[in-house]
Amino acid sequence: MIFTGIYENHIMKKEITQDKIRNFCIVAHIDHGKSTLADRMIEKTGLLTSREMQDQVLDNMDLERERGITIKSQAVRLVYTARDGEEYIFNLIDTPGHVDFNYEVSRSLAACDGAILVVDATQGIQAQTLANVYLALEHDLDVFPVINKIDLPSAEPEKVREEIEDVIGLDASEAPLISAKQGLGVEDVLEAVITNIPAPDGNADAPLKALIFDSLYDSYKGVIVFCRLRDGRLRRGMKVKMMATGAGAEVVEVGYFGPGQFIPCDELSAGMVGYFTASIKNIRDARVGDTVTESARPCEEALPGYKGAQPMVYCGLYPSETPRYPDLRDALEKLQLNDASLFFEPETSLALGFGFRCGFLGLLHMEVILERLEREYDLDLISTAPGVVYKVYKTDGTMMELTNPSNLPEPTAIDRMEEPIVNAEIMVTTEFIGPIMQLCQERRGRYISTDYIETTRAVLKYELPLNEIIYDFFDALKSRSRGYASFDYELKGYEESKLVKMDILVNKEPVDALSFIVHADGAYERGRKMCEKLKDEIPRQLFDVPIQAAVGGRVIARETVRQMRKDVLAKCYGGDISRKKKLLEKQKEGKKRMQTVGSVEIPKEAFMNVLKLDTQ
Amino acid sequence: MIPAAGAAGECTGGDCLPVHFYSSSRNTVTSVVGYVRKTRGRVLNYSENMQEFFQKDAGVRIYLHIPFCVRKCLYCDFLSMPQGEETRERYVNALLCEIMHQGDCPPGTPVETIFFGGGTPSILEERQLDAILDALHERFCVPRDAEISLEMNPGTADSEKLRAMREMGINRLSIGVQAMHDGELKLLGRIHTVEEAREAFQLARKAGFENINIDLMSALPGQTFRDWSDTLAEAVGWGPEHISAYSLIIEPGTPFSAMYESGDLPPVPEEETDRQMYRFTGEYLAGKGYRQYEISNYAKPGRACRHNTGYWTGQEYLGFGIGAASCAGGMRFSNTRDLQEYVRAMAIPDILAVRTDLHRLTEREKMEEFMFLGLRMTAGVSRTAFASRFGKQIEDVYGEVLQKQIRQGVIIPTEDGVRLTQRGVDVSNYVLADYLL
């Protein structure tokens, strides 16, 4: 993190009045240009010169910049001198656009009074456009649209304008037409912020009432709490209290957000967005969604806050070398400091040894965490196939939440099982409705409706089991619609389902790390594909290795990895033993990349790759 | 790693020696002028180690690399190339230099075996071979019963040269016949026909060679099982004392490899066929009186190659010429593979300048080699020999691996140790890799 240093130049000398503050965020479907617009707004307000601008200054994790996505929401304060000559304070909060990070979007929205909706002039409304708008409206935010990418030849701004009005019901007649990439119309957006987004209300003289919308762990300062003040003032030396956890602390520093850095100031007051530090060592003491108040003069009731993140996807993570187990634990703990939605608990696998069962918001979240663990903490990991949380109602009347298929009780002890179902909205051009409906059908989808946005585009609504979409659904969607479909989902709830545990036996031994839960109707097909896939993944061994898929002890599919026939260096040339040894060393390296399960060597990637069962 | 310079030039007692230091980072040897006190620890004392090597009771085993051939075969990835007479002459002179200036060798050191390998050593003129042997005789004591082998391409033999070679003391010929079908020879890029090979063999017999090996290759592209059994029958019919039968490996970087990739080669036999050929070889040759003693080597009683057996049983040896590997005084090193560099260094002469990859074998490496080389021998490795060489039981080091591999059926216990099973031979790379610690 690069939040260091003091940034004195732009601290405003004048008293800031509440009506000159605007707290807002930008929401958009992925790749519609949200981060680019944020960059341009920062640039135009003069906080940084063009020369200092790095592309996407708000995305300060390497990974974000590489993948072009925004993972952790970031905030920045801009000083804008409007056309009317007045100076305004803009608190711009960047939000992630991917469906996995809805939770992060949600917490950002809680700190805002309004939102800019960016719509791509070439693509129009997409699934996440809708999802994010609804999310913003749920938070009582005023939303105004902006049509981006008008510089592209395929842009159809007028059509998109109509679409926004018809589909979302927002007045788009005044929507600025812009090209964030080229910096066109950005000033119109800045002006529109002043007119379309309300100034914060709240009483600066009332007792302190501030919402924690994010936090960050810094090894020098402790927890840095991001907050939005509803009422009152927050200043250095003040004794504050977190209303939910009851934790008390003395404020050491308050300030606001410069681009990529924290800028200390004397005081934050009602309507403002900023941060404070209070030597808080444990991030759990400053929980996101909690309300901060003054110990001596507490407010009467806490803000409603918002629901905590529920991990939706679980997988097992194991160090490929057992001695690195403590390193993995340390790394997970450190990541969790800045990512409250990451969950983990120790677990043991017969095949893989000691590791952790980890919970994530979604697949992308999981991939990001895995990549960070390997990159930033230099860990070599084996991850098991991801799964969802099942509810298992037992015959003894109790219910268990199952995150690891290996823990499924005996069939006789199970009364019934439930699986998570999501409401999915898929936006697609009409020519691909057929293939997409077929895909949803294959994934046990329940058809709800088709709504036509215009003659050529429709929103398909389906109820889908979460475990059918967590892995390769998105890829399948893209490939069957030639990239044109967009997709968003939210958890609907749990439903009873005919679920079974599939065990995979390698060389007649069940491998716990390969077990998974599957719907009974699709079990045969899945078992067959798993065996085929594993056959490709497992290299030939000294003996034939049978691979079997079994449900409840009954084998339903089988493949065999044929034994290695020949691997011999016929001529040991002259006295060149070193050369021979190099060859053997190479061989030994290959063996090291394998995990020995029973007497079979399985490549580490195989545990993850087995779920990549392309359906077409 | 170069020791503090202050130590140089202070020879005060009998424990001082001229020392050469090896820098593993730069992969070079530094000759230190003057005298340096003997240093304990990680400094490699080349001279001292070499003295140790020469003082051993066992005779010295010598390898000489002749990196020339008439034409490079399409499958060959050995250090060899066609060169003009002038280069060959310069190389032989350099080789003589290396032999003559091989320091630290007390006069009269006995020789056990000499092996001319290549390339095609038989490409050299008689006088050149004679000069090399003369040099060896001058520097060492070469007894009558020393094994002196020379690799010969059938396309380079004539009766006069053969007779001369026999007269100068060469007593074992290894003839690169490779195949018994002209089509196969052509495919391999060999310079001779089957008929020419047969003639060469007969000429060698006439010249008085009583110990002859024939090199053969199986699993050639397009070769059928029948083709191979015919090849073996033909070879046995000639009556050599020794047969080496290698299964062809298409090495990356060779023309064969490129042809294989582009589909310009007939299909190579399936692994199953390849293993059938291999198994048949052992059985067939055993029936004809050739006992297998190593993965690819078969010999009539008492005719196993003494020189090569030395490699597999951990005997030390000294290599001369470019690319030649040595194992001496507990060290391993190889000479540079660069002919120009070699010739330049020998003109000085600076023997140490051509040494590369010089390092002292650790106890661990010695054990690894003992195992992965020893197991190539049909007799396997001996528990007693392991214990006497390393002062610990084989099980203390390799207990787990041995148990696992016996269970896997790739090795089998013998009266005094273990050996590879037939299955173990088939997958020997996979098996032997387990002995690296």
Side-chain angles (χ1 to χ4, degrees), chain A residues 294-457:
Chain A
E294 189 178 355
S295 303
R297 193 169 68 116
C299 59
E300 279 177 14
E301 59 178 16
L303 291 160
Y306 40 91
K307 58 177 188 219
Q310 286 301 324
M312 304 261 265
V313 175
Y314 283 79
C315 77
L317 279 190
Y318 295 84
S320 48
E321 295 151 48
T322 317
R324 298 213 62 190
Y325 174 80
D327 297 339
L328 175 57
R329 189 188 51 220
D330 290 351
L332 283 168
E333 274 169 5
K334 281 194 187 119
L335 283 182
Q336 200 182 40
L337 285 178
N338 284 324
D339 187 349
S341 50
L342 170 66
F343 166 88
F344 64 91
E345 67 183 12
E347 75 171 11
T348 317
S349 154
L350 290 176
L352 304 177
F354 293 107
F356 295 93
R357 176 84 2 195
C358 300
F360 307 94
L361 299 172
L363 253 297
L364 181 70
H365 186 211
M366 180 172 100
E367 275 172 34
V368 166
I369 295 289
L370 291 190
E371 214 169 314
R372 289 188 67 186
L373 285 171
E374 296 202 324
R375 189 181 296 198
E376 294 169 30
Y377 297 91
D378 193 29
L379 290 163
D380 196 5
L381 298 173
I382 305 175
S383 51
T384 65
V388 304
V389 188
Y390 298 95
K391 288 184 175 172
V392 182
Y393 293 88
K394 295 200 271 191
T395 46
D396 64 5
T398 60
M399 187 273 282
M400 71 177 282
E401 292 199 336
L402 183 76
T403 55
N404 179 351
S406 305
N407 297 339
L408 187 72
E410 285 302 304
T412 50
I414 302 173
D415 177 40
R416 66 197 155 87
M417 283 175 74
E418 289 183 357
E419 67 176 328
I421 304 289
V422 299
N423 285 320
E425 290 190 359
I426 301 160
M427 196 160 286
V428 66
T429 46
T430 43
E431 54 184 313
F432 297 114
I433 287 181
I436 299 299
M437 286 179 88
Q438 198 194 337
L439 172 67
C440 292
Q441 226 62 47
E442 286 166 16
R443 302 299 178 101
R444 297 192 284 129
R446 190 186 301 141
Y447 173 76
I448 304 298
S449 67
T450 309
D451 300 325
Y452 284 85
I453 293 176
E454 50 184 343
T455 48
T456 57
R457 285 208 309 157

Side-chain angles (χ1 to χ4, degrees), chain A residues 512-525:
Chain A
D512 58 359
L514 290 173
S515 293
F516 59 98
I517 305 285
V518 65
H519 192 267
D521 294 347
Y524 172 76
E525 185 67 14

Side-chain angles (χ1 to χ4, degrees), chain B residues 206-259:
Chain B
K206 275 190 201 144
F209 283 97
E210 290 163 1
N211 191 4
I212 302 181
N213 167 57
I214 287 182
D215 269 354
L216 296 174
M217 286 201 288
S218 65
L220 302 178
Q223 191 177 45
T224 64
F225 181 82
R226 184 64 197 270
D227 293 339
W228 174 243
S229 63
D230 288 350
T231 298
L232 279 178
E234 178 69 21
V236 167
W238 295 7
E241 284 66 40
H242 189 289
I243 293 176
S244 295
Y246 303 109
S247 145
L248 172 74
I249 295 174
I250 298 179
E251 297 283 357
T254 59
F256 238 42
S257 169
M259 289 158 73

Side-chain angles (χ1 to χ4, degrees), chain B residues 139-152:
Chain B
R139 208 73 188 78
F140 302 92
C141 170
V142 186
R144 253 176 198 290
D145 65 346
E147 180 191 89
I148 305 178
S149 306
L150 180 134
E151 290 183 326
M152 184 180 90

Side-chain angles (χ1 to χ4, degrees), chain B residues 183-340:
Chain B
E184 290 170 352
L185 289 173
K186 200 169 170 204
L187 183 75
L188 292 170
R190 301 290 297 179
I191 56 166
H192 55 87
T193 62
V194 176
E195 194 45 43
E196 282 161 348
R198 193 206 317 272
E199 273 167 31
F201 183 85
Q202 285 164 353
L203 287 178
R205 283 291 194 224
K206 275 190 201 144
F209 283 97
E210 290 163 1
N211 191 4
I212 302 181
N213 167 57
I214 287 182
D215 269 354
L216 296 174
M217 286 201 288
S218 65
L220 302 178
Q223 191 177 45
T224 64
F225 181 82
R226 184 64 197 270
D227 293 339
W228 174 243
S229 63
D230 288 350
T231 298
L232 279 178
E234 178 69 21
V236 167
W238 295 7
E241 284 66 40
H242 189 289
I243 293 176
S244 295
Y246 303 109
S247 145
L248 172 74
I249 295 174
I250 298 179
E251 297 283 357
T254 59
F256 238 42
S257 169
M259 289 158 73
Y260 179 73
E261 294 297 329
S262 62
D264 293 338
L265 283 183
V268 293
E270 299 278 325
E271 287 183 348
E272 198 56 54
T273 315
D274 173 282
R275 291 296 92 189
Q276 270 172 13
M277 288 177 178
Y278 181 75
R279 221 151 290 160
F280 175 77
T281 307
E283 287 160 14
Y284 179 78
L285 292 182
K288 300 291 179 186
Y290 296 88
R291 208 175 62 85
Q292 180 173 17
Y293 67 100
E294 195 261 355
I295 289 182
S296 310
N297 287 286
Y298 309 82
K300 292 222 168 133
R303 297 296 195 172
C305 177
R306 278 155 62 194
H307 183 82
N308 285 335
T309 302
Y311 293 143
W312 301 313
T313 51
Q315 306 299 316
E316 297 202 312
Y317 52 93
L318 202 52
F320 294 97
I322 61 170
S326 298
C327 175
M331 300 178 291
R332 275 203 184 284
F333 49 85
S334 298
N335 282 349
T336 175
R337 298 173 67 84
D338 184 328
L339 195 144
Q340 299 309 328

Side-chain angles (χ1 to χ4, degrees), chain A residues 540 542 563-577 579-581 583-585 587-588 591 601, chain B residues 63 65 77 247 271-272 274-275 296 311 317 325 332 365 368 372 376 408 423 426-430 434 436-437:
Chain A
R540 299 199 297 165
L542 287 178
Q563 65 172 336
M564 177 197 304
R565 288 300 299 134
K566 178 199 170 191
D567 186 4
V568 52
L569 183 66
K571 188 164 190 178
C572 193
Y573 166 63
D576 200 352
I577 310 300
R579 182 170 151 167
K580 163 90 178 151
K581 191 172 167 185
L583 197 106
L584 293 178
E585 270 163 358
Q587 181 115 24
K588 198 181 174 201
K591 286 192 188 191
E601 288 164 346
Chain B
Y63 176 82
H65 193 68
D77 81 329
S247 145
E271 287 183 348
E272 198 56 54
D274 173 282
R275 291 296 92 189
S296 310
Y311 293 143
Y317 52 93
R332 275 203 184 284
E365 287 172 310
E368 291 173 347
F372 76 68
R376 287 188 69 89
Q408 289 174 333
R423 177 81 182 118
D426 290 347
V427 293
S428 54
N429 285 342
Y430 182 88
D434 276 347
L436 298 187
L437 293 168

